[in-house]
């Protein structure tokens, strides 16, 4: 069984020299304290090394990706269009990244083995949730707005979702626990079939979403669902219903939204799913004007490509620099899309380098799987556990003049109730303006909203999401914090005080909870406890997985790194992606927001407030004072 960090990617000479140089520099100065351009090169060196050692297939044989014989492309439409099942993104490995394929790993499978029962419950995850996750008072992330919190959930719903087993955990409750339901049961994650002995020690788990950046949360992860969401007229549009001036997602008879992925629904998902369904339809209108003889399928396929690429661009050059508000990151993420030559020159001259992602960005640089078939990883899902971002309540304001309208607890806007504020007179423009000026919670200890720690989901299960997050990492073999860092070639703290950066009170709390054994600290708890680089919204530990996987989602995708051309997207489609951002999308569909967006910088950072909103600071409770 694989236990060694064997290279999967073979860097060139220049890359190897770059890695060696920064190994030396980082002994003295961490990447985030270097000048921005040098820091960006440092991040590139880190990414090279991560590609070498931190990509591992979820399958024991590596031969589960299909081929031309087992999975032929019988419909040539998918040479230039995304398949909703995720098939045929790679024509050589047609099943790679499709729905039902396993999650990969960022560490060797022999080091991510299934825990014993003692390991699973040591220390008790519910006790840790009570001590290190329960929100005592709201800690805001004042460099972000609530739209940033909604956005990342919107994106993760595109990327990953595990299958549940019919078997349950009966989570042991600590002595004296006041859990109101008497017991806490949770479905186990369903393991994939055993293909070899390695799967007994390290089970594989299927991703029932597609792993591609293909907006499956809107379009669905299978072709049948996609067709059900289209109006099937010749315009290629997604179905929306109209009520007065607003358009809404349609509902099923039980009141659930009809969209690609509607689990874990709340008003933030209602807003973003509707917004990008509207954007898809706007692209359809543009394409119909440009290509009046096209069929509905032709228009739909191109509009989906454009909409998906636009979301990938927004995430890369807008959302990421907001949550990781460090000048080096802004430069590096812009370089991921535009290259170091920058946006202006790329728009003027096109790609200056045909293949260099550093010089001219990843789109169009050529597909490269870095020696391992593409998948998302268990560790990637782990570092995106960001429930702390959700506030307790949202203050809503009028988008026309900024006047306060109401303050509503988030728990009253979940699942089937997500649309209720909109039914009561709140407009989408009002909602987006409000999300633009409300703060999310900081990703830190003691900041999980308490309604998520006593949540009853539509399936009738009562769960504490803090407990669930810890249990899922342990169950799926995600290493504990110190081992996680070692496997990323980061230093592992020898003491709790070293882990917390000198916070003695927190160190004592952690030591008491983990019985004095720093090796037992869970990755999530450790990441919430470590000091973070200036401007960062989450830990440097989690960020190492992000460096690797953020670019991999682009570099592995045929429709982004490969066929980034007018034949695939149309000239008009490419122009739409390259010349639009989140501000443009919001302004196009909600003109009331144009003036406030024009005066604001990053759309995921706090917007400028209108005068009538300035009396509400939202800093402590996200409610007006």
């Amino acid at each position: 069984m694989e236990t060694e960090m064997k290279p999967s990617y073979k860097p060139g000479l220049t890359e190897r020299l770059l890695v060696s140089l920064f190994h030396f520099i980082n002994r003295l100065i961490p990447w985030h304290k270097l000048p921005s351009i040098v820091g960006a090169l440092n991040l590139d060196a880190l990414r090279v090394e991560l590609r070498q050692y931190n990509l591992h297939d979820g399958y024991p044989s590596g031969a589960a990706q299909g081929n031309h014989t087992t999975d032929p492309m019988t419909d040539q439409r998918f040479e230039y269009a995304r398949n909703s099942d995720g098939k045929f993104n790679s024509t050589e490995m047609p099943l790679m990244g499709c729905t039902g394929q396993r999650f990969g790993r960022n560490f060797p499978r022999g080091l991510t083995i299934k825990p014993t029962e003692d390991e699973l419950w040591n220390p008790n995850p519910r006790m840790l949730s009570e001590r290190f996750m329960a929100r005592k008072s709201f800690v805001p992330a004042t460099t972000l707005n609530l739209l940033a919190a909604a956005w990342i959930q919107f994106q993760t719903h595109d990327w990953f979702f595990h299958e549940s087993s019919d078997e349950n955990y009966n989570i042991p409750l600590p002595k004296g626990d006041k859990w109101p339901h008497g017991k806490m049961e949770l479905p186990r994650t369903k393991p994939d079939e055993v293909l070899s002995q390695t799967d007994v020690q390290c089970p594989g788990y299927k991703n029932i979403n597609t792993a591609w950046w293909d907006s499956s949360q809107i379009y669905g992860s299978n072709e049948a669902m996609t067709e059900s969401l289209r109006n099937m007229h010749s315009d290629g549009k997604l179905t929306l219903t109209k009520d007065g001036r607003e358009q809404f997602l349609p509902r099923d008879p039980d009141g659930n939204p009809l969209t690609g992925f509607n689990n874990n629904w709340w008003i933030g998902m209602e807003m973003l799913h509707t917004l990008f369904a509207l954007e898809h339809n706007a692209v359809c209108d543009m394409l119909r004007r440009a290509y009046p003889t096209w069929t509905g399928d032709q228009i739909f396929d191109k509009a989906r490509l454009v909409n998906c690429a636009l979301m990938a661009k927004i995430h890369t050059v807008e959302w990421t620099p907001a949550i990781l508000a460090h000048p080096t990151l802004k430069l590096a993420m812009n370089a991921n899309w535009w290259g170091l030559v920058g946006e202006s020159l790329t728009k003027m001259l096109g790609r200056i380098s045909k293949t260099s992602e550093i010089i001219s960005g990843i789109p169009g640089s050529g597909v490269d799987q870095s020696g391992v078939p593409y998948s998302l990883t268990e560790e990637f899902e782990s570092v995106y556990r960001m429930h702390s971002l959700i506030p307790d309540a949202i203050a809503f304001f009028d988008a026309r003049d900024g006047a306060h309208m109401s303050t509503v607890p988030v728990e009253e806007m979940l699942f089937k109730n997500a649309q209720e504020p909109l039914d009561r007179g709140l407009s989408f423009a009002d909602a987006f303006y409000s999300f633009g000026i409300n703060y999310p919670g900081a990703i830190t200890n003691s900041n999980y909203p308490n309604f998520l720690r006593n949540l009853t989901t539509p399936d009738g299960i009562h769960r504490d999401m803090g407990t669930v997050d810890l249990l899922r990492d342990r169950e799926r073999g995600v290493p504990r914090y110190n081992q996680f860092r070692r496997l990323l070639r980061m230093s592992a703290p020898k003491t709790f005080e070293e882990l917390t950066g000198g916070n003695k009170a927190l160190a004592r709390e952690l030591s008491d909870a983990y019985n004095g054994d720093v090796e037992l600290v869970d990755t999530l708890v450790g990441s919430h406890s470590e000091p973070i680089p200036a401007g960062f919204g989450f830990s440097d530990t989690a960020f190492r997985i992000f460096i690797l996987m953020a670019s991999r989602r682009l570099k592995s995708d045929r429709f982004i790194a490969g066929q980034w051309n007018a034949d695939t997207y149309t000239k008009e489609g490419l122009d739409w992606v390259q010349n639009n951002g989140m501000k443009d999308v919001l302004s196009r569909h909600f003109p009331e927001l144009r003036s406030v967006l024009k005066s604001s910088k990053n759309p995921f950072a706090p917007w400028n407030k209108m005068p009538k909103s300035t009396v509400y600071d939202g800093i402590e409770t996200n409610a007006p004072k």
Side-chain angles (χ1 to χ4, degrees), residues 224-269:
M225 174 172 279
T226 302
E227 289 196 11
S228 75
L229 298 172
R230 292 176 55 185
N231 61 29
M232 298 312 293
H233 297 311
S234 60
D235 57 12
K237 293 183 177 181
L238 294 170
T239 302
L240 290 168
T241 61
K242 194 163 187 179
D243 182 2
R245 293 180 57 200
E246 301 270 42
Q247 295 186 69
F248 294 92
L249 298 171
R251 253 53 185 184
D252 69 16
D254 294 324
N256 300 303
L258 294 174
T259 188
F261 187 96
N262 62 9
N263 289 46
N264 310 321
W265 199 255
W266 64 294
I267 190 170
M269 296 304 94

Side-chain angles (χ1 to χ4, degrees), residues 135-153:
R135 180 172 283 164
K136 299 176 176 66
S137 62
F138 178 65
V139 181
T142 56
T143 59
L144 295 173
N145 62 29
L146 191 52
L147 187 58
W151 176 269
I152 190 54
Q153 185 182 3

